[in-house]
Amino acid sequence: MLIKEFRVINNCSQAEYQVAQLFSTAQASKETTGGGEGVEVLKNEPYEKDGQKGQYTYKIYRLASRVPAFVRAIAPHGALDLYEEAWNAYPYCKTVLKNGWLKDNFSIVYETLHVDGSRGELENALNLTKEELKKREVVIIDIAHDKIDSKDYKPAEDPKLFHSQKTGRGPLVDPEWQKQCDPVMTCYKLVYIEFKWFGLQSRTESFIANSIHNLFIKFHRQLFCWTDEWYGMTIDDIRRMEEQTKKELDEKRMENAGNGLLHPPSIHDSGNGSINGSIRNGSIKNPSIKSKRSILGK
């Protein structure tokens, strides 16, 4: 198992980031959906349990064409769908990704704490044990200056070029912008990656970690450069937008889908080998910070 902690410093407040993150997630989902692949949102609803309130989402990601060839070569057709459950009790959030074919041999667990006024200096924001701290690797992300894949680069999404008309923020040209910007907040993103497959474990876990790193860079570059689109929106505005985005995703996903891709089982299907049965039976429960080790089997 790999344990990575990504610290993403952002030129916005904690309250602003809540709206910005939800807006950017919806927008980014549109980019990765179409031709039978992409994101399907099955549930997006409020939850309350054990004194914790927030928004629960359940999604399916069908991204077979985007996994490494060596994984596609050994995976049965249609077995690469990812099932995501997320509990957003902002400023704390938890996400669990599973795969029905690999079952307990694969998981990605994210825990995120959003801290207002922080510049990435908290050394144990998510209360790791001594054993976990020994395994953890910390990665500080600079959304303006970290390298990004050339295929993902767009001038309109470059924080070194963007200037917000609504807020006056940017461009983030100064190499020391993380120490100087105001407002500021940090996303402390703890990621547990586990792939149990003899001969492929280290290679696959490293590939996943690198993919997540690149995803966080790209996503937060977009989030900053979309400031003038989300700034001033309310959570109610976001929920209405999410409903419309769900309809658009469903339509885009089915465009040109006649390529042999199978539609995945819904949350109500028992699906042989799918994660849906375990979700319904309660093996994945509403998490809090204290429940992290039960989900990870510790």
Side-chain angles (χ1 to χ4, degrees):
M1 175 187 287
L2 290 183
I3 303 177
K4 299 265 190 176
E5 182 181 306
F6 298 93
R7 299 178 187 176
V8 190
I9 301 165
N10 296 282
N11 186 191
C12 63
S13 69
Q14 180 197 69
E16 290 172 344
Y17 185 87
Q18 183 178 18
V19 169
Q21 177 191 41
L22 295 171
F23 174 90
S24 301
T25 297
Q27 292 297 103
S29 295
K30 297 177 185 179
E31 292 186 359
T32 58
T33 298
E37 292 193 344
V39 185
E40 182 176 7
V41 181
L42 296 179
K43 285 194 173 185
N44 184 1
E45 60 194 23
Y47 80 91
E48 181 175 356
K49 188 172 183 179
D50 299 330
Q52 187 182 77
K53 296 181 180 180
Q55 193 77 5
Y56 168 80
T57 56
Y58 179 80
K59 301 176 183 178
I60 297 177
Y61 293 86
R62 288 183 299 284
L63 306 172
S65 67
R66 295 163 198 178
V67 302
F70 68 87
V71 175
R72 292 200 303 271
I74 60 174
H77 180 72
L80 296 175
D81 297 341
L82 293 180
Y83 300 83
E84 178 197 273
E85 286 193 290
W87 296 262
N88 188 340
Y90 199 81
Y92 172 76
C93 305
K94 184 158 191 169
T95 302
V96 178
L97 282 126
K98 291 279 192 175
N99 172 266
W101 175 53
L102 291 168
K103 300 181 181 179
D104 292 337
N105 292 318
F106 168 81
S107 67
I108 304 174
V109 178
Y110 300 86
E111 284 192 85
T112 305
L113 189 65
H114 306 88
V115 182
D116 204 26
S118 174
R119 300 183 189 271
E121 75 284 355
L122 300 182
E123 285 306 314
N124 192 9
L126 285 151
N127 300 323
L128 278 72
T129 66
K130 290 182 179 179
E131 291 73 22
E132 289 171 325
L133 288 171
K134 291 177 183 178
K135 297 178 181 178
R136 178 194 67 173
E137 178 186 350
V138 175
V139 179
I140 306 292
I141 288 179
D142 182 336
I143 65 169
H145 297 96
D146 284 357
K147 291 182 179 179
I148 186 171
D149 195 308
S150 58
K151 67 179 175 59
D152 290 328
Y153 179 80
K154 298 177 183 178
E157 297 174 359
D158 187 340
K160 294 192 299 295
L161 303 177
F162 172 76
H163 174 73
S164 168
Q165 297 298 319
K166 290 185 177 180
T167 67
R169 299 169 194 169
L172 304 181
V173 178
D174 192 326
E176 300 294 311
W177 72 268
Q178 293 175 314
K179 298 178 181 179
Q180 301 167 355
C181 69
D182 182 56
V184 66
M185 60 82 64
T186 295
C187 308
Y188 291 87
K189 292 183 168 291
L190 188 64
V191 185
Y192 296 81
I193 304 167
E194 188 162 41
F195 183 86
K196 298 177 183 177
W197 194 299
F198 181 74
L200 290 177
Q201 180 167 354
S202 295
R203 183 180 178 186
T204 303
E205 288 180 349
S206 295
F207 171 84
I208 293 171
N210 289 334
S211 297
I212 290 172
H213 187 180
N214 293 335
L215 173 65
F216 286 164
I217 295 174
K218 179 181 178 180
F219 178 82
H220 288 88
R221 286 167 66 93
Q222 291 175 326
L223 183 148
F224 178 73
C225 293
W226 291 341
T227 295
D228 287 348
E229 297 183 53
W230 56 256
Y231 187 81
M233 294 183 72
T234 66
I235 290 296
D236 288 340
D237 294 332
I238 290 291
R239 296 305 173 211
R240 286 191 291 270
M241 175 187 161
E242 287 174 337
E243 282 296 314
Q244 181 59 36
T245 299
K246 181 183 184 305
K247 295 176 183 177
E248 294 178 18
L249 291 176
D250 290 343
E251 293 172 359
K252 286 189 67 177
R253 195 179 60 256
M254 299 315 297
E255 289 175 3
N256 304 317
N259 55 5
L261 289 172
L262 298 178
H263 192 282
S266 75
I267 196 170
H268 302 294
D269 296 332
S270 58
N272 185 25
S274 81
I275 194 172
N276 299 322
S278 63
I279 291 173
R280 286 197 310 274
N281 293 334
S283 60
I284 298 178
K285 301 182 184 297
N286 168 47
S288 64
I289 291 179
K290 294 181 180 179
S291 68
K292 171 180 61 183
R293 287 159 186 77
S294 65
I295 286 185
L296 295 174
K298 295 182 179 180

